[in-house]
Amino acid sequence: MRWGSLAGRGLRVLRDDLWTVRQDPLPPSVWLRWLPHGIVWLAAFGVLVGGLGQLSDNGGLGFGYAFPVAVGQSGAMALALWRPVPAWWLSLAATVLGAVVLSAPLAAGEVHDFPWPWSAAGIVAHLFVLLLLALRVRLRVAVEAFALTVLVTYVLQALWGSAGQQPTGVLAMVLSAVVVVLGTALRGRREARAELGRQTTLTAEERARRTLLEERSRIARELHDVVAHHMSVISIQAQVAPHLTENPSPELRENLAGIRQNALEALAELRRVLGVLRSDNPQDPYGLGESGTAPDSPQPTLDRLGTLVDNTRAAGLTVALDVTDTRREKRPYPPGVELSGYRIVQEALSNALRHAPGSTVRVELVHVPDGLYLNVVNSRPGQPVTPSPGAGHGLLGMRERAAMLGGHVDAAPTLHGGFSVSAFLPRDGATPLTVPAPPASGEAPVIHPEPDGPVVVRVEPPAAPAVHQGTTHQETARLDTTADGPPPATGEQTP
């Protein structure tokens, strides 16, 4: 049973390796692309002419026998350029056919000293076929083909035999062994060169990656040495300043505390950015084995928008926060949506602080089943605007964050000198098929279908009730702090 199992396994391996018509084209040369193909075709033509003449003139075979044998041997050479295994079978079959049809004239004494079982043309054709086979297939397949060639030759020459023959089996097998070894060596050399090319490419990529990491590390050092130092100084000075003033007012203490808190939060964010820059895996900058940030600097979420709004109010803006939820089932957002929503609102408030000091800002959040709608509208500046060196990177960053999640951001000036930033972030990172529900505050969204793109939802800035002459920002802020009643106006007034 054991030997039967081994024999069956061996036959299955031979069937898989040699009983196939798969295509293995000969790789063309780099400089002379079709030179190997031309040489093979020229040699095949020589085998056809020479083999046909040898079989007809010296072998005494008629054209009906000589022509198929010669065509089979020369055709195997041409076929080996694309399908080496079927070509090997064709060459071996043509040789067996020629040996069988020549055995009768040899036995009858009509032909003397004819090369048998391999004719000269048959040897040349089979050597070409074996070389092209060894160049394309695995070593095991080439060895199997050579072994079966030796077996067929042994059966024809030693067991079948024929009188008056000139034995060529040993010569043919020695030359075949040399050709198989040569083809295998050339194939191994080609594979080694290909592997060397792949390793060179990987080395170049690794070098580029290392250069990138070095540059990121340099940027991280610069950030740490410059920005972190100054933020630490600001935090310490804000903490010490109340002790250097006699009887500081509560407003001064509150503002200094806000400055220190903002500096500490900036340091925490800077620590996270430095961790990303210094790590070769931005998804796991701290080597925790999972995506995340440092335990002592968690990513901000939408729950912290209240704190962000309070800090912005302390900086001198009048900010109203309006949150509406139209969802039937309240599910938590993915971390990317939470973080991007917070960052978009943070950047919009920072732009209002920088470009519209003393303005009134309204922040709207509308939770809809398909995602999160954000709208930040500020009025025209209430104080002189200091020229800012910004280059629009804040808006670009907001758009990139939204596009990464499949959403969009629209930013445009309002009719009364203010500015509006509206965004929609899909829940699952894909643009929904349905349009988000309009905000519950009564403003109807204006739908702008863009060609060959997602549906863009823009909400016009809400109309604000007129603010009477003489109303101060402090009074507006007191209106904002009331527990009941409609949200405060955004400050957009009729010119």
Side-chain angles (χ1 to χ4, degrees):
M1 291 296 293
R2 179 182 178 184
W3 290 106
S5 176
L6 291 176
R9 186 180 305 172
L11 290 176
R12 285 194 298 270
V13 171
L14 287 175
R15 182 193 62 189
D16 295 338
D17 291 343
L18 298 179
W19 195 253
T20 177
V21 292
R22 66 176 177 269
Q23 185 174 359
D24 292 301
L26 182 68
S29 174
V30 176
W31 299 105
L32 302 175
R33 183 177 180 84
W34 297 107
L35 179 61
H37 299 73
I39 293 175
V40 172
W41 279 102
L42 184 61
F45 180 75
V47 166
L48 175 63
V49 176
L52 184 60
Q54 185 183 27
L55 292 173
S56 300
D57 299 337
N58 301 334
L61 294 179
F63 184 81
Y65 289 105
F67 184 74
V69 174
V71 169
Q73 292 171 344
S74 61
M77 297 174 62
L79 182 60
L81 291 172
W82 293 276
R83 301 183 186 275
V85 175
W88 171 80
W89 281 111
L90 179 60
S91 176
L92 194 61
T95 298
V96 172
L97 176 63
V100 170
V101 296
L102 280 170
S103 60
L106 288 171
E110 299 175 1
V111 179
H112 299 280
D113 297 331
F114 190 86
W116 192 92
W118 292 90
S119 63
I123 292 176
V124 173
H126 205 68
L127 292 180
F128 265 91
V129 170
L130 282 178
L131 177 62
L132 296 175
L133 177 74
L135 285 174
R136 261 86 55 77
V137 300
R138 294 174 296 174
L139 175 62
R140 187 185 72 184
V141 180
V143 171
E144 291 169 353
F146 173 71
L148 286 180
T149 302
V150 172
L151 179 61
V152 170
T153 303
Y154 173 76
V155 170
L156 290 175
Q157 182 171 314
L159 301 182
W160 184 295
S162 183
Q165 65 178 350
Q166 181 182 349
T168 56
V170 176
L171 175 63
M173 293 307 98
V174 171
L175 294 177
S176 297
V178 173
V179 165
V180 169
V181 172
L182 177 62
T184 303
L186 292 176
R187 179 175 180 271
R189 179 174 177 271
R190 187 178 72 245
E191 290 181 347
R193 292 180 61 183
E195 182 64 25
L196 179 61
R198 287 192 293 269
Q199 292 296 331
T200 303
T201 303
L202 292 176
T203 302
E205 293 177 354
E206 183 65 25
R207 187 182 299 112
R209 177 172 167 271
R210 185 169 60 249
T211 303
L212 176 61
L213 290 177
E214 291 175 355
E215 182 65 17
R216 287 166 56 179
S217 298
R218 186 187 67 80
I219 296 174
R221 286 195 301 270
E222 293 293 333
L223 287 175
H224 180 271
D225 294 341
V226 178
V227 180
H229 169 73
H230 288 298
M231 295 304 297
S232 300
V233 171
I234 292 173
S235 174
I236 295 173
Q237 289 179 340
Q239 185 178 9
V240 174
H243 302 284
L244 302 179
T245 305
E246 279 189 35
N247 300 322
S249 63
E251 291 81 5
L252 178 60
R253 288 183 178 273
E254 182 180 356
N255 284 323
L256 291 175
I259 293 174
R260 182 174 183 273
Q261 182 62 30
N262 287 331
L264 292 177
E265 290 184 0
L267 283 174
E269 293 296 327
L270 181 61
R271 188 183 304 115
R272 182 185 64 83
V273 173
L274 293 179
V276 173
L277 286 175
R278 289 169 174 164
S279 174
D280 58 351
N281 183 11
Q283 299 299 326
D284 185 17
Y286 295 92
L288 301 177
E290 57 183 8
S291 298
T293 55
D296 56 346
S297 59
Q299 295 277 27
T301 61
L302 296 176
D303 295 336
R304 297 180 59 186
L305 282 181
T307 304
L308 177 63
V309 168
D310 291 339
N311 292 336
T312 309
R313 288 170 180 162
L317 290 183
T318 302
V319 185
L321 177 61
D322 184 10
V323 180
T324 306
D325 195 339
T326 63
R327 299 172 295 177
R328 296 181 180 179
E329 179 184 359
K330 297 183 179 180
R331 293 183 299 163
Y333 291 105
V337 175
E338 292 268 350
L339 177 61
S340 297
Y342 180 90
R343 293 301 187 200
I344 290 173
V345 175
Q346 184 184 42
E347 182 63 30
L349 292 177
S350 298
N351 289 340
L353 278 170
R354 188 181 304 113
H355 302 291
S359 63
T360 302
V361 184
R362 183 175 181 179
V363 180
E364 289 182 295
L365 270 76
V366 181
H367 301 276
V368 295
D370 288 327
L372 175 65
Y373 170 80
L374 302 169
N375 190 31
V376 181
V377 185
N378 63 269
S379 66
R380 60 175 176 264
Q383 301 174 8
V385 181
T386 304
S388 174
H393 296 294
L395 291 176
L396 178 62
M398 287 190 284
R399 290 192 174 98
E400 289 177 347
R401 285 184 178 276
M404 180 179 61
L405 298 172
H408 62 268
V409 171
D410 291 325
T414 62
L415 297 176
H416 305 296
F419 202 80
S420 171
V421 175
S422 61
F424 180 76
L425 303 178
R427 170 177 296 278
D428 299 323
T431 304
L433 298 178
T434 59
V435 179
S441 55
E443 299 82 5
V446 181
I447 309 302
H448 299 272
E450 297 187 353
D452 300 330
V455 176
V456 178
V457 181
R458 296 186 179 93
V459 174
E460 299 298 334
V467 179
H468 299 286
Q469 296 293 334
T471 304
T472 64
H473 290 295
Q474 289 77 8
E475 292 171 344
T476 309
R478 284 197 299 272
L479 291 175
D480 176 45
T481 56
T482 57
D484 300 325
T490 61
E492 291 292 328
Q493 305 175 17
T494 304

